[in-house]
């Protein structure tokens, strides 16, 4: 999970203020991050329940970025406020003991100064993973997207570069998106083939609801030859969700990094998911420092 190993020490005191957690989860059986009034299973509900047991009081969690139903995270950040004090090992091991098997906390630390899991973040990074093979996956079902139609990753990557920079991403925004502005700054986007897998790696200051999945769906249409490369530029300019095609399935999407200024002391991510990591070099898996850090949330 981390670029540099984090020892589970007992020689520190964490708490009596804001506590920060770094954790991962398999999104297949969750109805997204956010707590649901209907009582359906959510990452927030499970994690809050476990943290509350260790803190010995109810806690409210704030995460870096809410993920949808079925979406995974190999690196997610959240904070909560507490009067309790524990060491690093006690927080991590205690919380994990109370968690289900599809969530794992890897680190806890004090929130420095005005740290906020969402508003202090300077970027988010996702990877969308497509298994491109005539036969559907068995073992990795629910962990990757799948298409049997051959994808040309080079065409997809060429088309993806139209999305770089600051744009109005209304064409890639879900109808129910609650963000005040459709403008985002796309720091980086790259599409590459690794054997039978096509990976879309994307980083921005923030993302709109379904934005990555909508981009993935459009890029897949380019990859199959159904649409020309410059169709992505046309979609972006139209600022109309109805012209962008289908939304790609949730199971292929992973939140892999959230960036913060160094003063907050959040350990940087070694980008995942784990089964992808050997296919990329250390530079590809390391955090990409943003060149544009204004946050539009």
């Amino acid at each position: 999970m981390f670029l540099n190993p984090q020892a589970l020490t007992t020689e520190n005191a964490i708490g009596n203020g804001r506590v920060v957690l770094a954790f991962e989860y398999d999104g297949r059986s969750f109805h997204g991050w956010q707590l649901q009034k209907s009582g359906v299973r959510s990452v927030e509900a499970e994690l809050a329940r476990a943290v509350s047991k260790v803190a010995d009081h109810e806690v409210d969690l704030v995460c870096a970025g809410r993920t949808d139903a079925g979406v995974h995270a190999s690196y997610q950040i959240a904070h909560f406020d507490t009067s309790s004090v524990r060491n690093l090992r006690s927080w991590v091991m205690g919380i994990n003991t109370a968690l289900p098997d599809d969530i794992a906390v890897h680190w806890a630390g004090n929130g420095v100064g005005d740290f906020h899991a969402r508003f202090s973040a300077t970027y988010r990074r996702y990877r969308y993973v497509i298994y491109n093979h005539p036969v559907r996956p068995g073992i990795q079902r629910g962990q990757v997207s799948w298409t049997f139609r051959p994808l040309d990753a080079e065409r997809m990557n060429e088309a993806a570069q139209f999305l770089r920079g600051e744009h109005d991403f209304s064409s890639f925004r879900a109808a129910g998106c609650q963000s005040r502005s459709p403008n985002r700054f796309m720091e980086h986007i790259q599409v590459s083939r690794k054997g039978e897998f096509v990976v879309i790696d994307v980083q921005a200051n923030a993302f709109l609801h379904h934005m990555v999945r909508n981009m993935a769906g459009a890029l897949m249409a380019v990859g199959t030859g159904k649409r020309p490369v410059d169709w992505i530029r046309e979609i972006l300019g139209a600022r109309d969700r109805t012209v962008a095609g289908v939304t790609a399935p949730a199971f292929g999407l992973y939140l892999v990094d959230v960036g913060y200024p160094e003063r907050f002391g959040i350990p940087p991510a070694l980008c995942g998911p784990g089964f992808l990591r050997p296919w990329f070099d250390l530079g590809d898996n390391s955090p990409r420092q943003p060149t544009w850090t204004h946050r539009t949330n």
Side-chain angles (χ1 to χ4, degrees):
M1 168 176 271
F2 301 117
L3 189 61
N4 304 305
Q6 302 294 310
L8 290 180
T9 179
T10 60
E11 299 177 357
N12 54 11
I14 298 169
N16 194 26
R18 181 151 294 178
V19 173
V20 187
L21 301 176
F23 55 101
E24 64 179 348
Y25 50 88
D26 181 334
R28 282 178 287 184
S29 65
F30 292 109
H31 197 74
W33 159 265
Q34 191 170 4
L35 182 68
Q36 303 291 319
K37 292 182 179 179
S38 61
V40 297
R41 194 165 185 254
S42 71
V43 178
E44 182 181 12
E46 296 283 7
L47 184 58
R49 185 179 300 113
V51 173
S52 296
K53 288 183 179 180
V54 180
D56 201 28
H57 64 82
E58 296 296 319
V59 300
D60 293 320
L61 296 173
V62 177
C63 74
R66 297 174 181 175
T67 52
D68 295 329
V71 175
H72 317 287
S74 63
Y75 183 93
Q76 171 72 284
I77 299 293
H79 78 250
F80 62 94
D81 296 324
T82 181
S83 58
S84 300
V85 178
R86 310 280 187 267
N87 60 51
L88 173 59
R89 184 177 181 84
S90 294
W91 279 118
V92 171
M93 302 305 287
I95 294 171
N96 283 335
T97 298
L99 280 172
D101 291 342
D102 43 9
I103 311 176
V105 171
H106 287 259
W107 178 84
N110 286 309
V112 177
D114 60 349
F115 176 83
H116 191 283
R118 178 185 174 191
F119 296 125
S120 298
T122 56
Y123 68 84
R124 285 87 173 166
R125 183 175 177 182
Y126 286 86
R127 281 174 170 167
Y128 192 84
V129 187
I130 308 160
Y131 181 58
N132 189 205
H133 190 274
V135 179
R136 60 177 172 78
I139 292 175
Q140 290 183 309
R141 179 178 59 87
Q143 296 179 310
V144 296
S145 182
W146 169 64
T147 181
F148 62 87
R149 296 181 176 88
L151 293 175
D152 186 330
E154 292 184 2
R155 277 174 54 90
M156 293 171 69
N157 187 59
E158 182 182 354
Q161 302 318 303
F162 290 121
L163 301 172
R164 291 186 61 186
E166 185 176 10
H167 302 288
D168 179 332
F169 283 94
S170 292
S171 292
F172 298 99
R173 178 182 188 174
C177 181
Q178 298 178 356
S179 176
R180 293 189 298 271
S181 170
N183 294 330
R184 295 293 185 268
F185 184 85
M186 186 70 67
E187 180 79 35
H188 165 84
I189 183 167
Q190 183 176 13
V191 184
S192 58
R193 175 174 286 278
K194 307 295 179 181
E196 295 167 340
F197 293 85
V198 173
V199 181
I200 304 172
D201 191 330
V202 58
Q203 179 174 309
N205 63 318
F207 289 88
L208 301 166
H209 192 202
H210 285 177
M211 180 173 162
V212 180
R213 291 169 58 194
N214 289 335
M215 291 190 301
L219 289 172
M220 289 169 70
V222 172
T224 62
K226 182 179 179 180
R227 296 287 189 173
V229 167
D230 60 3
W231 182 58
I232 300 299
R233 179 172 56 187
E234 294 175 10
I235 294 173
L236 191 64
R239 301 179 183 179
D240 180 356
R241 174 69 192 102
T242 63
V243 305
V246 301
T247 302
F251 294 150
L253 185 58
Y254 292 79
L255 175 62
V256 299
D257 190 15
V258 184
Y260 297 95
E262 288 186 10
R263 70 179 185 273
F264 291 124
I266 309 301
L270 181 64
C271 292
F275 69 90
L276 287 189
R277 198 171 290 135
W279 304 346
F280 295 92
D281 62 29
L282 181 60
D284 292 324
N285 288 327
S286 297
R288 297 180 179 277
Q289 294 304 313
T291 59
W292 190 91
T293 58
H294 175 69
R295 297 179 296 281
T296 306
N297 295 302

